[in-house]
Structure formats: C-alpha cells, structure tokens
Amino acid sequence: MSRNAHPAGPRHGDVYTEGHYAAPPADLNVLDEKVWARTIDRNDDGVVTIGGLEVTRLAEEFGTPAYFLDEADFRARCRAWSDAFGQNADVFYAGKAFLSRAIVRWLQEEGLNLDVCSGGELTTALDAGMPAERIAFHGNNKTPEEIERAIRAGVGRIVLDSFQEIVRVAHIAQSLGKRQPVLIRVTVGVEAHTHEFIATAHEDQKFGIALAGGLAAEAVRRALKLDGLELLGIHSHIGSQIFDMAGFEVSARRVVQLLAEIRDEHGVELPEIDLGGGLGIAYTSDDDPREPQEIAKALGEIVTRECESSSLRSPRISVEPGRAIVGPTAFTLYEVGTIKPLEGLRTYVSVDGGMSDNIRTALYDAEYTVALVSRTSTAEPMLVRVVGKHCESGDIVVKDAFLPADLAPGDLIAVPATGAYCRSMASNYNHALRPPVVAVRDGEARVIVRRETEEDLLRLDVG
Ligand code: LLP
C-alpha cells in the first residue's frame, strides 16, 4: 500500500530515510500502465507518445509545464462507470476534480451527470450546455445568491449540508414559487482510511449532518415539513482516495437504515440515496484501485440486502466519482532545469513547474511517480526528489523516485495521474502562470484550458 491509501502504512520514503532504498523498477524505460493514461506508449525512437503524439512535439507546440489529457481514456472511464451502474443508478462526475467546458460536453456525450460545488462550477456547467436537471449542487456554505441561481436554473438536486441550509433553500425556492428537489447530506461516522484532510465521514469535521444523536433524523423531519423542498433522499460521502470498500459498505448500510427509520416515522419511502465519490486511483505501482464494476456490484448488493431486511423498496443509487474518472487520464509534462546531487543525501531535480501546478504532494504528502519521456536511457537508476521552482523548500512534486543517472537539463520528464485536483487546485504562487490543459485524441491535440499569460495576472491587478 502506498501513502496515498494508508498514511500510517509502510512508506517508500520512510524506507529511504532509514538507509534501505526501495528497489528501483527493473527497467526505468517501461511505463507501468496502471498509472499512465490508456493511450500512452513509447515509440521506436524511445519518445513517449499520448494518443499517438510524441511528447517532444507536444512540448514544442504547447510548452511546459503542461497537462496532457487523454480524451479517449476519459470517455472510456465515463462509459465504464455508467455501464457498471446501469439503468437503475446515476453517475455524477465530481467537477471539482477538474472542470472545463470541453469536459462538460464530453460528460453529456457519454451520458453522465455533473456534481458542482460552487457558483463558478455551476456557470461552467450551464455555459457548456449541461441540462440543469442533470446537475447536483453541493457545498457546505452555498451563498444565498448561489442557491437562487441554482434553483432558477432548475438544477436536478441540491444537497443540503446544514440545518440553516434546509431553511435557506426552502425559503428561496418558495419565494421563487418552486419546489426544489434536495438530498440531505449525512455523516455516517465512518473513519475512511485516507489522509485526514480528505476524509469526510467521521463526526469531527465540517460536512453534513451527523446520524449520531438523531441529528440527521431531525433534519429529515424539518425538511419534510417545508413546502419549498422535495426531499428525494440521503447523501453520504466518506472521503477521497479510498481503496477499501468496507467504509462504503458501512455507509450504505447506515444510509439505508435511516431510510427505514424515515419510513417508520413518516410513512415515506425516499426514492434515492447518493453514496458520494472517493474511489482511489493508482498514483504509483503500489496502488491497486477497484474497478467500477466491482464497486457497483458491492454497493448494489449491500443496498439490496439492507433494503430486503427492512422491507424497503430499493432506492435509486447515485455515485459521484471525480478522481477515478479524470485522475488517471492526464500527466504533467515538465522540462528539467537544474540537477543538484547532494552527496550522501539525494539528488534534487528542479522542473519548470511545482507546487503551483501540483499542490497535492505538499498538502497531503501524496505520492507520485515520474519518468523520463523524451528519450530512453540505459544509465543506472538514481534516487531523486523532483522539486519545483517556487520559493519554498516544501515545493516538492515527487518526493522519492528513480530516474536515470544521465538525466540532463532539457530532458522532458512526466508525472502521471495528475488529471484530478492538480489543475483544479493550481495557484499563481510566485506569480506562476497556470499551465494549459491539452486534450489529445487520435493523433490530434487541442487546448481545452489555455496557459495563463502575464497579461492575465496584470488584468486582475487594479493598483
Ligand atoms: N462528492 C463529494 C460530495 C465530494 O466532496 C467529493 C470530493 C467527491 C464527490 C469526489 O471525490 P473523488 O471521487 O474525486 O475522490 N483535493 C483532494 C480531494 C478532495 C475531495 C473533495 N471532495 C485531493 O487532491 O486529493
């Protein structure tokens, strides 16, 4: 298990600090298909290609750093999720992982729905033509203005996150003469095995309304009384980058138990449950993610079993994968700038990006891998730390990885599995220009989010 899944488990980096280096891969030129997008290959000249295009040519045309996204892989993953969950379930792509107008169009073409969690994401979704009824609106503190906009647009569901919000959404809907379909987000008390900052179903955190102490039942009581709300069901999201299905099973069981309590108390069988997102992906070869088919089967079985034992009709299930759809589909391409061997310690490889295009390593201690992609090499493996160009020693992109010892400035290296939460959490720290996202498909590359320019930075500066 890697640190992505179990922060407390054995760590590649820990092994290194104790002087026992993790073994380098047998051949550094081989790209593990588990962590790379589907159409990645290496051509006869040793240059890595995506969608049939050489990274060297892509770097010339689009510059570095840049994210290259495999459109065919993205679409295939959308289809895998919707096929796995079938007709009796809905898949909502979590836009926070990465959103742009092109993404919204692909989602529509592949039959997925969309989860948004801010006015900005809502605007992007609507602007790209996503039908409002296929949008779910999330967030623990949606502003009244955002709520009004969502209701006016006719979003298919708003996920209510607090007692205040139950009243707020009901009031705004009523004042617009509407009855808004809603779900109530509950915290089921599951400790997901993931980084503390991305675990969301234990009780001591800001999201949702706890099942414990009857709070969720009270929220349901209040929501059912309000004319502005049409209560569709219950929502639970237990965290992110999770490999172990046990947490989802407990969550599903507790949510169904709440449906049974609601039926007993109010005589109403709520028709929907949403079990959130959070399925882990492979960032390194140590990670073993679950396939959508396996997830759908496990969740379907547990919901059916729990419903049967409470004599409930099976509700419609929805899920909200973000990372599992977009994460594996992209890599970040960097150019090596400087190489600094520190005798007896490690070699620092500085690239032309850093924590501004991938904050996950600094923020969550996330693990990534890296490969030399502009050529092959038969040189010995050297243990490196890939760092960025920011004024901060925590500006680390890949903490511990092996690259060939003949690595040189000007080489292109790529970090795979950066499709989720890298561009979407990118910043302008040190006035860095956020990199473009380039979609590649069948030998064609097209920018779907352009690179920022210095004019973009100056445009916001009104002094
Ligand atoms: N649904 C809800 C209500 C969520 O809050 C999230 C993620 C998702 C779905 C999608 O989760 P996913 O399938 O992508 O794991 N920035 C962090 C992840 C934060 C996730 C926030 N919510 C990271 O880089 O790991």
Side-chain angles (χ1 to χ4, degrees):
M1 281 293 171
S2 84
R3 191 174 316 164
N4 293 310
H6 295 287
R11 297 173 177 192
H12 177 77
D14 293 348
V15 175
Y16 167 68
T17 54
E18 286 159 22
H20 305 285
Y21 297 168
D27 183 350
L28 287 180
N29 299 310
V30 174
L31 303 178
D32 181 353
E33 59 187 33
K34 220 180 354 168
V35 293
W36 291 86
R38 271 173 221 211
T39 70
I40 294 288
D41 210 347
R42 218 184 251 279
N43 69 15
D44 293 342
D45 298 328
V47 179
V48 168
T49 60
I50 175 170
L53 298 175
E54 297 174 344
V55 292
T56 40
R57 282 185 38 205
L58 292 170
E60 265 166 39
E61 186 171 350
F62 301 103
T64 56
Y67 308 97
F68 291 96
L69 195 157
D70 185 336
E71 181 179 341
D73 194 4
F74 184 94
R75 289 177 181 273
R77 285 174 191 279
C78 289
R79 284 196 292 277
W81 277 86
S82 61
D83 289 351
F85 278 85
Q87 297 298 314
N88 299 321
D90 297 300
V91 180
F92 286 77
Y93 168 75
K96 66 202 82 184
F98 172 62
L99 197 64
S100 76
R101 284 190 288 223
I103 294 282
V104 176
R105 283 192 288 269
W106 300 347
L107 293 171
Q108 287 176 73
E109 285 161 14
E110 301 302 339
L112 263 63
N113 307 290
L114 176 60
D115 141 13
V116 300
C117 66
S118 69
E121 289 183 1
L122 179 64
T123 299
T124 306
L126 294 172
D127 189 69
M130 179 59 90
E133 65 273 13
R134 284 169 56 188
I135 298 176
F137 193 32
H138 272 278
N140 67 304
N141 188 16
K142 308 166 192 78
T143 65
E145 186 273 337
E146 286 173 324
I147 294 168
E148 181 174 335
R149 211 145 41 101
I151 297 176
R152 276 188 195 280
V155 298
R157 52 178 62 179
I158 294 181
V159 182
L160 302 174
D161 197 87
S162 64
F163 282 98
Q164 285 89 354
E165 203 167 75
I166 293 172
V167 178
R168 208 170 279 162
V169 171
H171 177 75
I172 296 172
Q174 215 175 0
S175 71
L176 296 171
K178 297 218 187 190
R179 191 148 184 261
Q180 176 61 44
V182 295
L183 301 178
I184 292 177
R185 177 166 176 174
V186 302
T187 39
V188 294
V190 171
E191 294 277 353
H193 291 286
T194 189
H195 192 282
E196 183 195 351
F197 293 175
I198 51 178
T200 57
H202 53 298
E203 269 132 28
D204 186 6
Q205 45 83 29
K206 69 172 183 167
F207 294 108
I209 300 174
L211 281 179
L215 287 176
E218 177 58 21
V220 169
R221 231 166 264 140
R222 294 190 195 177
L224 285 172
K225 285 201 194 111
L226 293 165
D227 290 338
L229 304 181
E230 178 194 352
L231 184 59
L232 292 180
I234 302 297
H235 177 284
S236 163
H237 171 78
I238 59 170
S240 213
Q241 185 58 7
I242 300 166
F243 291 97
D244 187 353
M245 286 302 291
F248 290 101
E249 290 179 10
V250 174
S251 162
R253 194 173 308 132
R254 294 191 182 160
V255 166
V256 174
Q257 278 163 7
L258 179 61
L259 291 192
E261 284 166 33
I262 295 167
R263 188 261 330 264
D264 294 346
E265 183 179 341
H266 305 280
V268 185
E269 289 198 31
L270 297 182
E272 302 219 10
I273 62 172
D274 187 322
L275 297 172
L279 275 308
I281 62 163
Y283 284 101
T284 75
S285 301
D286 295 337
D287 294 326
D288 283 310
R290 303 272 172 273
E291 292 298 323
Q293 205 72 41
E294 197 185 335
I295 296 156
K297 187 163 173 286
L299 292 181
E301 282 174 4
I302 189 101
V303 171
T304 307
R305 193 174 342 123
E306 291 299 314
C307 286
E308 275 170 7
S309 79
S310 307
S311 308
L312 271 175
R313 267 194 309 272
S314 269
R316 198 173 170 81
I317 299 177
S318 40
V319 285
E320 301 169 336
R323 183 191 326 262
I325 291 179
V326 73
T329 68
F331 63 78
T332 315
L333 189 64
Y334 300 104
E335 184 176 315
V336 173
T338 65
I339 300 173
K340 201 178 277 185
L342 299 189
E343 194 58 40
L345 288 172
R346 68 181 85 244
T347 295
Y348 280 84
V349 173
S350 294
V351 295
D352 47 359
M355 66 195 299
S356 54
D357 59 69
N358 187 352
I359 190 65
R360 298 194 68 261
T361 308
L363 193 55
Y364 312 120
D365 212 11
E367 274 194 358
Y368 284 91
T369 175
V370 62
L372 172 61
V373 289
S374 47
R375 62 184 174 91
T376 51
S377 164
T378 52
E380 287 295 299
M382 79 177 158
L383 188 74
V384 300
R385 179 160 288 178
V386 179
V387 295
K389 54 180 289 178
H390 293 282
C391 301
E392 186 126 7
S393 50
D395 173 25
I396 297 168
V397 181
V398 185
K399 206 165 178 186
D400 297 293
F402 290 94
L403 283 172
D406 65 351
L407 190 77
D411 277 334
L412 297 176
I413 61 176
V415 175
T418 57
Y421 304 108
C422 287
R423 180 59 181 79
S424 68
M425 295 203 295
S427 77
N428 291 122
Y429 183 40
N430 297 146
H431 279 200
L433 304 173
R434 286 178 298 176
V437 181
V438 180
V440 181
R441 185 186 181 186
D442 296 336
E444 278 181 31
R446 113 189 125 89
V447 175
I448 59 171
V449 177
R450 72 161 169 79
R451 186 184 301 284
E452 273 178 333
T453 61
E454 289 180 351
E455 292 75 61
D456 288 328
L457 295 180
L458 290 173
R459 198 170 299 144
L460 298 179
D461 189 327
V462 291

